[in-house]
Amino acid sequence: MSIDNLSERPIGIFDSGVGGLTVVAEIMKILPDENLVYFGDVGRSPYGGRSKEIITQFTRQDIRFLLEHRVKFIVAACNTASAVALDVVRKEFDIDILGVIDPGAKAAVSYTRNSRVGIIGTVATISSDSYAKSIENKDDKMKVFSLACPLFVPLVEEGYIEKDATSLIARDYLKTLIDVNIDTLVLGCTHYPLLKRVIGKVMGPAVRLVDSAEETAREAASVLAAKNLLRREGGEVVHKFYVSDVPDRFSQIAQQFLGQNINNITRVDITRY
Ligand code: DGL
């Protein structure tokens, strides 16, 4: 295939479920002419409390599914899959796969003024230590403080964004990070950008929040440009969505993640991949 044809192919994006739509929303903003294929593993979500073996196997299947759609580039929108599985799985495929860890880590290193950075994410993301390693590799003076906040995902999915209960839980979780005087906090989970206001209020104005979805979309745009893979032909833009269980709940929740309704959602059997 010539490079010209390759650039016209869609970008593949996967996540454990609906959360990756925060990354899709940012990619749509920054790359509005690109065709997208999204896979959300709603049937096996959440990944965040699972073992490395299972997350690695699911990640492989998610990537195989996207490859069947002849994508030109893959974005692992899921922080958990990126943190736990991507280093291993990336080597098994002959396509560029961008995870969310490195873009978030890079941004944190450039934003912090006191070299004290906090990371919040799922249990699996935090146990992997991937964000801390990535940050410390970039600058060994960095002090990284990591914290799992497992209740944030179900709260967001239940629409508990502006509720008092969510503020209470956020205050309780985040107090250890307030005590260690960080000036930058990485929102290391697809769902956390929706809690920016609540988290920002708890942490206070002196702490800069890093939205890994935003940073990843920017990085995707610059990698595609550098590889001469940005779509050139123009014309109709097509966004396709696939999920591994009935699409009803996905389409309900999707509205708050993406700010728009999604109609073309197809159910697939991911265990075949
Ligand atoms: N998408 C996951 C992440 O970003 C959150 C949901 C899950 O645990 O699967 O870590």
Side-chain angles (χ1 to χ4, degrees), residues 31-175:
L31 295 170
D33 299 325
E34 294 292 327
N35 292 323
L36 307 177
V37 177
Y38 180 85
F39 173 70
D41 199 2
V42 294
R44 305 188 296 191
S45 183
Y47 285 7
R50 292 185 185 269
S51 68
K52 183 179 172 73
E53 291 69 30
I54 295 284
I55 296 166
T56 305
Q57 184 50 23
F58 288 178
T59 301
R60 268 190 201 109
Q61 290 178 309
D62 302 346
I63 293 169
R64 284 191 202 120
F65 171 78
L66 290 174
L67 289 176
E68 198 168 84
H69 288 262
R70 298 171 49 80
V71 295
K72 60 182 171 188
F73 180 71
I74 292 180
V75 179
C78 181
N79 283 255
T80 302
S82 299
V84 173
L86 219 52
D87 276 354
V88 172
V89 172
R90 190 184 265 130
K91 298 188 191 114
E92 300 169 10
F93 296 95
D94 187 21
I95 185 165
D96 278 320
I97 307 172
L98 175 68
V100 290
I101 307 299
D102 230 43
K106 200 157 103 185
V109 171
S110 78
Y111 296 156
T112 180
R113 292 290 157 256
N114 69 359
S115 303
R116 300 172 76 81
V117 173
I119 310 289
I120 51 175
T122 65
V123 171
T125 297
I126 296 306
S127 324
S128 76
D129 230 16
S130 292
Y131 269 112
K133 284 182 203 146
S134 178
I135 289 174
E136 286 157 5
N137 276 342
K138 292 178 196 349
D139 181 342
D140 59 14
K141 289 188 305 298
M142 293 287 152
K143 284 258 168 301
V144 181
F145 303 88
S146 306
L147 179 74
C149 301
L151 287 172
F152 283 170
V153 166
L155 284 169
V156 169
E157 293 199 3
E158 289 304 321
Y160 269 55
I161 310 277
E162 299 289 339
K163 303 261 188 184
D164 292 347
T166 307
S167 298
L168 261 176
I169 291 168
R171 246 180 277 139
D172 195 53
Y173 272 151
L174 298 172
K175 62 178 184 279

Side-chain angles (χ1 to χ4, degrees), residues 27 35 227 242 247-248 273:
I27 290 180
N35 292 323
K227 290 184 180 286
Y242 296 87
D248 310 21
Y273 291 84

